[in-house]
Amino acid sequence: KEKNARLQKRLLAIKMMLEEEKLSSYDVARRLSVSPTSVRDWVNKYNEGGYERLKEIRPRGGKPRVSNEEFLRRR
């Protein structure tokens, strides 16, 4: 059982694609409220490296433009 909700959704999408051959990435995306491109990307990542490849490698969001020290100086 996976605790990470994002990873749960990815695994569910892959399971749906594998078990229900008649479903397209559009069908799965609609059921999970994600984009078809995301579903295809997740399937490709899973095919490349399995479960480990689906995990997020980096934190979400952009790189900060200002360092922590500079931010504190500006306040």
Side-chain angles (χ1 to χ4, degrees), residues 15-70:
K15 181 179 179 183
M16 291 170 74
M17 292 289 292
L18 291 174
E19 289 181 353
E20 301 179 39
E21 294 178 13
K22 295 180 182 178
L23 285 180
S24 68
S25 58
Y26 293 97
D27 297 327
V28 173
R30 187 173 40 244
R31 290 181 184 186
L32 298 177
S33 299
V34 297
S35 73
T37 303
S38 292
V39 173
R40 288 189 294 271
D41 288 346
W42 298 338
V43 170
N44 288 336
K45 285 181 180 182
Y46 182 79
N47 288 336
E48 289 171 3
Y51 173 80
E52 290 297 319
R53 183 73 170 97
L54 287 176
K55 291 182 179 179
E56 293 180 21
I57 297 170
R58 57 184 163 75
R60 297 176 51 86
K63 184 176 179 182
R65 294 182 184 162
V66 180
S67 70
N68 290 339
E69 294 80 20
E70 188 176 345

Side-chain angles (χ1 to χ4, degrees), residues 3-16:
K3 293 181 181 180
N4 182 320
R6 292 179 189 275
L7 191 50
Q8 280 180 348
K9 188 176 273 192
R10 293 172 185 180
L11 291 169
L12 180 58
I14 291 166
K15 181 179 179 183
M16 291 170 74

